[in-house]
Amino acid sequence: MNASARLEQLGIALPELVAPLAAYVPAVRTGNLVYTSGQLPMVEGRLAGTGKVAAEVNPEDAKVLARLCALNALAAVNSLVGIDAVTRVVKVVGFVASAPGFNGQPGVVNGASELLGEVFGDQGAHARSAVGVSELPLDAPVEVELIVEVG
């Protein structure tokens, strides 16, 4: 089953492409790889949440926001090559704006990883980094970027 059919089966619609906040493009293809820019948890041009995880944002809510970031990253891939061109998710990098002492970044970034598994099955299994940072653009709690292989 291709990715667009799987998304439909899951009842998930890819969001509109998020416009860049600065001087970059949402996604770039080189050879058979597509790299996305970091995607924030934007919905219809607005952040779905702000603040530090484990202070203003609880980790479970941040996990939902990471899933939203991954959806926005898939929208960036879709805008460049079409979602059905993806043959494998290679790598996910998740950045979590973390309150002091919070070390649950992997659990937050699981929101993105689990979505990719739902959409791509075994081809959604990927290498990953989950990084705690002090600040993200626009006071976002989480940011996610992808590297995918395309056919």
Side-chain angles (χ1 to χ4, degrees):
M1 179 179 303
N2 64 27
S4 58
R6 185 72 180 129
L7 284 165
E8 185 175 328
Q9 183 182 52
L10 293 166
I12 299 171
L14 285 180
E16 292 295 317
L17 180 65
V18 175
L21 300 175
Y24 61 89
V25 295
V28 172
R29 180 177 181 169
T30 181
N32 65 342
L33 297 175
V34 173
Y35 292 74
T36 71
S37 295
Q39 298 293 314
L40 302 178
M42 303 289 275
V43 175
E44 297 178 359
R46 296 198 131 112
L47 277 176
T50 60
K52 302 274 187 294
V53 177
E56 298 92 0
V57 180
N58 78 51
E60 281 303 310
D61 289 341
K63 181 178 178 181
V64 171
L65 295 173
R67 180 182 178 93
L68 191 55
C69 293
L71 278 172
N72 287 331
L74 291 178
V77 171
N78 189 55
S79 74
L80 186 66
V81 297
I83 195 70
D84 292 329
V86 175
T87 58
R88 169 150 201 105
V89 178
V90 177
K91 178 134 189 206
V92 171
V93 180
F95 301 96
V96 180
S98 301
F102 178 68
N103 59 10
Q105 293 83 8
V108 170
V109 180
N110 276 349
S113 295
E114 291 168 4
L115 170 76
L116 296 167
E118 291 171 27
V119 174
F120 297 105
D122 291 342
Q123 283 64 47
H126 51 269
R128 187 179 90 177
S129 298
V131 182
V133 298
S134 62
E135 298 286 336
L136 286 169
L138 305 178
D139 196 29
V142 64
E143 179 175 349
V144 172
E145 62 184 55
L146 304 179
I147 302 170
V148 298
E149 182 179 43
V150 295

